[in-house]
Amino acid sequence: MNLTRHSPATPLRTALFALTVLVLAGCASDAALKEGNKLIAEGKPREGLAQLQQAMQANPGDLHLRTAYLRQRDLQIARVLAEADAAAQSSQFDSALAGYREVLGLHPENPRALEGLGNIEVKRRNAEMLRDALAAFKRDDFELARTKLRALLANEPAHRSARALLAQVEEKAGRNLTSDTPQLAAAYR
């Protein structure tokens, strides 16, 4: 007696079962897509992207879901990069760093975020050199002020504040030199 006897309806049942699974999977990915987009629209982009990413990983063959995730991810990256760049321009370095790191969490090889992180470090060093140069200038230590400003300008030649302070240093240093030594003052006339 053969217990594994197949009825003629078994291939039909198998096909119907497979179709049912596909339809349910499609419904699940549509629900995840809607939920992810809803979260993003509510101002919760991290949660929405996480929802879309989970759904995409659960349904790797769903190109519509993958496209939606990548589009939303790229929109989020563009928004955060713009905010981070603006923060960096206004010397809000901690905020800029947080933004660049958030982008790298979404896309670890993002070149703009990597470049932004490097630029923040340079800007921080330059801001410190400018503070040191200004302090030296106020103490009439013109040589130290010049050294700091020249190092800063080597890193960032178009730095307006550094150029302006260097001009003040040179002007004040020249006045002090000529007022201290009357013979030199006469030689320069």
Side-chain angles (χ1 to χ4, degrees):
M1 181 167 159
N2 187 359
L3 294 176
T4 59
R5 191 175 87 181
H6 297 286
S7 70
T10 301
L12 181 60
R13 283 185 195 156
T14 304
L16 285 174
F17 178 74
L19 182 61
T20 304
V21 168
L22 287 173
V23 167
L24 290 176
C27 291
S29 69
D30 284 346
L33 179 62
K34 286 178 185 175
E35 180 63 23
N37 285 333
K38 179 182 169 214
L39 288 167
I40 291 168
E42 291 174 351
K44 301 174 184 172
R46 287 184 187 152
E47 294 88 347
L49 284 172
Q51 178 80 24
L52 292 173
Q53 187 176 30
Q54 285 175 346
M56 183 184 70
Q57 289 170 345
N59 301 292
D62 189 336
L63 293 179
H64 181 66
L65 192 57
R66 178 175 171 74
T67 301
Y69 167 75
L70 291 174
R71 185 180 69 246
Q72 289 296 340
R73 184 198 71 175
D74 289 348
L75 288 171
Q76 176 70 5
I77 285 172
R79 185 186 64 74
V80 174
L81 280 174
E83 291 171 0
D85 290 344
Q89 284 299 111
S90 60
S91 299
Q92 297 173 355
F93 301 128
D94 291 337
S95 178
L97 282 172
Y100 293 131
R101 287 183 181 134
E102 181 178 343
V103 168
L104 292 173
L106 295 171
H107 185 242
E109 298 94 27
N110 185 282
R112 261 184 72 195
L114 292 169
E115 180 182 357
L117 286 176
N119 289 342
I120 292 297
E121 188 54 40
V122 168
K123 286 181 182 285
R124 276 190 167 166
R125 280 194 311 264
N126 287 348
E128 184 179 335
M129 281 192 275
L130 184 63
R131 282 191 302 272
D132 292 348
L134 184 59
F137 174 70
K138 287 178 180 177
R139 292 189 316 267
D140 290 337
D141 187 350
F142 303 123
E143 195 54 40
L144 179 60
R146 275 190 200 107
T147 301
K148 294 284 185 180
L149 291 168
R150 287 182 181 141
L152 189 159
L153 290 169
N155 289 336
E156 192 176 341
H159 196 288
R160 289 185 187 144
S161 299
R163 289 194 171 282
L165 183 56
L166 184 59
Q168 288 178 331
V169 167
E170 296 299 346
E171 181 182 334
K172 192 170 179 184
R175 272 193 268 143
N176 280 354
L177 181 62
T178 57
S179 66
D180 288 345
T181 55
Q183 292 109 0
L184 280 176
Y188 281 114
R189 288 186 199 149

